[in-house]
Amino acid sequence: MLASVSRAARRAYPEAQACFRTVSSTQAAMNTSLRPDEEMHAIDESSKGPSGVLEVPRRFLMGPGPANADPRVLNAQALPLLGHMHPPFLKIMDEIQEGLRYLFQTKSPYTLCVSGTGHAGMEACIANLVEPGETVIVGNKGIWGERVCDMAGRFGANVVELKKEAGKTFSFDELKAAVEKEKPAVLFLCQGESSTGVQQSLAGLGDLCEKNGTLLLVDTVCSLGGVPLFADEWKVDAIYSGSQKCLSAPPGAAPLFLSQRALDKIKSRKTKVRSYYLDMNLVGDYWGWYGSRSYHHTGMVSMWYSMREALALVAEEGLDAMWKRHQSVHEQLWAGLSEMGLKPFVEDPKDRLCTVNTIKVPEGVDWAAVCKNAMDKYEVEIAGGLGPSAGKVWRIGLMGYNATPATVELVLAAFKDGLTKQGYLPK
């Protein structure tokens, strides 16, 4: 009864509210951990934050990522929390490392998930493998090459940028000439460049780098699990990726692999790794790389549950089947787009990335209107270009949970409808 009267009084008499605030503040000071030398104040309730149960709309995320997560992966995040040093949780971390060894096709013990997105994986590799003054060759054929140039420069590297026209890849001979001339500490390449839709060949580069004392670093954020990769056989030294694309998990984890040569480089550094959070001497110890385990940061408990399930799905399907599934829906997509008269942005078929497809925007077509119609009518995300492809292409992601014939048909229906409304296709 008293509570009801108090609420009514506060509504009816604005001047009484100051009195209630004073009483509340005094009472709060008695019942909180306020220190004796600190002064209690009235709590500002003017911007209290959200209330009620969160609701989000359904979307088919058919852009360059994130892709839709598998329901089994999402459900894993609702499991009870464990302590980040509890033995059952450490076992889950061990399972993640084993799953990554299969995914990367490596026997190396140096696999883990960086706590963060693909950019965290990128920065972890640069921060650990590059010392100030060392030369890094960056194969720049899209926005991710641009970002590695920027990042390596921030860590004091002498950056040698090899630029390629958008939609093209580097030849082995071009890379060989640059490596033999510069003798860099690191050669960076992006296997799957999501801004332009190209897949870079890695053939022969591991041997080339090994002969020249160079570490081969590869970005696989939108390609890992979608296209073939053999870390050991191809002699790759460092790889980072992202959880939210072909692995059908939410954003928040960056799978990472290091070869023994890469770890030896870290252990023989003359200077400290400039990032404490991403120092693999410390993070690797948390993941058990060095025979023990010590606290570095609070592990991303629910995120690691989801990564464990995502990697279990990879193992259950098998890499060969997974790679073939992504290639099959890529071919299905292009069969349908070709019937509409649409052309690929990447001219050479062998350079086309199957996980992120880039489609030329025909002259006279409003690319943004096609994207808007797809979202408004079909709840399908179709993305425009990014970086060097901005305004020139649409980008369609066929990755992980979304790499199915049914989703391809939905995308094709959205394209056909959007292009028909603009008069590009007959009604």
Side-chain angles (χ1 to χ4, degrees):
M1 178 68 179
L2 181 60
S4 298
V5 171
S6 296
R7 286 194 294 270
R10 294 169 95 164
R11 287 195 297 270
Y13 304 104
E15 66 272 15
Q17 293 191 25
C19 176
F20 278 101
R21 282 198 296 270
T22 302
V23 172
S24 298
S25 298
T26 304
Q27 185 177 12
M30 296 170 59
N31 297 324
T32 68
S33 59
L34 188 77
R35 291 175 58 88
D37 57 346
E38 294 174 336
E39 181 182 356
M40 176 60 79
H41 295 274
I43 296 171
D44 181 358
E45 304 278 0
S46 62
S47 52
K48 208 169 183 179
S51 62
V53 178
L54 176 67
E55 294 184 9
V56 295
R58 166 70 175 171
R59 294 287 187 264
F60 295 94
L61 302 178
M62 306 306 296
N68 293 95
D70 190 289
R72 173 175 160 185
V73 173
L74 291 178
N75 289 339
Q77 293 194 305
L79 294 171
L81 291 177
L82 291 169
H84 59 280
M85 295 298 289
H86 289 187
F89 183 64
L90 298 180
K91 182 177 182 293
I92 291 170
M93 293 172 70
D94 290 340
E95 290 180 344
I96 289 172
Q97 291 183 87
E98 190 61 30
L100 290 176
R101 280 189 275 274
Y102 175 65
L103 187 60
F104 286 123
Q105 285 295 283
T106 182
K107 301 295 185 189
S108 171
Y110 310 120
T111 61
L112 55 73
C113 281
V114 178
S115 297
T117 62
H119 277 84
M122 177 192 291
E123 187 149 345
C125 288
I126 297 297
N128 283 270
L129 300 179
V130 178
E131 293 201 69
E134 291 186 333
T135 297
V136 176
I137 293 178
V138 177
N140 180 4
K141 57 185 188 303
I143 193 170
W144 307 118
E146 292 176 7
R147 296 206 174 173
V148 170
C149 285
D150 185 345
M151 195 174 290
R154 290 169 186 247
F155 282 92
N158 170 37
V159 178
V160 176
E161 182 181 14
L162 299 182
K163 295 203 73 168
K164 202 70 175 176
E165 179 186 350
K168 307 289 185 182
T169 62
F170 293 98
S171 69
F172 176 80
D173 289 339
E174 288 174 311
L175 296 170
K176 180 174 182 288
V179 168
E180 290 181 344
K181 176 186 176 184
E182 301 292 343
K183 303 291 184 183
V186 173
L187 168 64
F188 167 84
L189 289 167
C190 185
Q191 184 187 35
E193 175 53 76
S194 61
S195 67
T196 59
V198 297
Q199 180 179 338
Q200 173 66 48
S201 172
L202 303 176
L205 296 175
D207 284 326
L208 170 69
C209 287
E210 187 177 37
K211 289 175 184 174
N212 287 274
T214 299
L215 296 176
L216 177 58
L217 167 60
V218 180
D219 176 317
T220 66
V221 171
C222 72
S223 58
L224 186 65
V227 306
L229 177 70
F230 298 91
D232 287 356
E233 294 297 327
W234 292 355
K235 295 186 178 180
V236 183
D237 292 298
I239 303 170
Y240 64 87
S241 192
S243 55
Q244 74 275 21
K245 303 204 178 190
C246 297
L247 302 185
S248 305
L256 180 138
F257 150 84
L258 297 179
S259 70
Q260 186 62 55
R261 284 208 314 137
L263 188 72
D264 290 345
K265 169 65 185 295
I266 295 171
K267 290 298 183 182
S268 63
R269 287 177 62 104
K270 300 178 181 67
T271 59
K272 260 189 174 183
V273 176
R274 291 188 173 187
S275 169
Y276 181 89
Y277 186 64
L278 299 174
D279 185 345
M280 288 300 122
N281 293 295
L282 306 175
V283 179
D285 191 50
Y286 176 42
W287 283 81
W289 279 8
Y290 312 121
S292 63
R293 272 195 150 105
S294 62
Y295 166 73
H296 174 255
H297 67 280
T298 302
M300 299 176 71
V301 178
S302 298
M303 187 68 218
W304 292 171
Y305 294 169
S306 71
M307 279 303 298
R308 188 270 179 201
E309 289 302 283
L311 292 166
L313 289 170
V314 171
E316 290 162 15
E317 181 176 9
L319 279 175
D320 187 59
M322 194 171 178
W323 294 337
K324 288 177 178 176
R325 173 165 60 88
H326 283 82
Q327 180 62 26
S328 176
V329 292
H330 164 76
E331 293 171 0
Q332 178 190 353
L333 175 71
W334 278 106
L337 293 174
S338 297
E339 289 181 1
M340 300 179 209
L342 296 175
K343 305 293 184 185
F345 180 68
V346 181
E347 296 175 0
D348 191 334
K350 72 176 184 300
D351 289 341
R352 290 175 198 155
L353 180 62
C354 68
T355 56
V356 179
N357 299 265
T358 45
I359 304 124
K360 282 184 180 178
V361 176
E363 188 174 350
V365 170
D366 183 342
W367 68 267
V370 172
C371 296
K372 186 177 187 303
N373 182 71
M375 181 64 76
D376 292 347
K377 185 173 180 179
Y378 296 87
E379 297 183 330
V380 169
E381 178 192 30
I382 296 172
L386 178 67
S389 67
K392 301 175 183 177
V393 305
W394 291 290
R395 293 183 296 157
I396 296 296
L398 301 175
M399 296 180 284
Y401 186 70
N402 290 350
T404 67
T407 54
V408 172
E409 290 304 318
L410 183 61
V411 168
L412 291 173
F415 258 108
K416 186 173 183 179
D417 184 50
L419 292 170
T420 299
K421 285 181 175 177
Q422 293 196 43
Y424 178 78
L425 294 177
K427 292 184 180 180

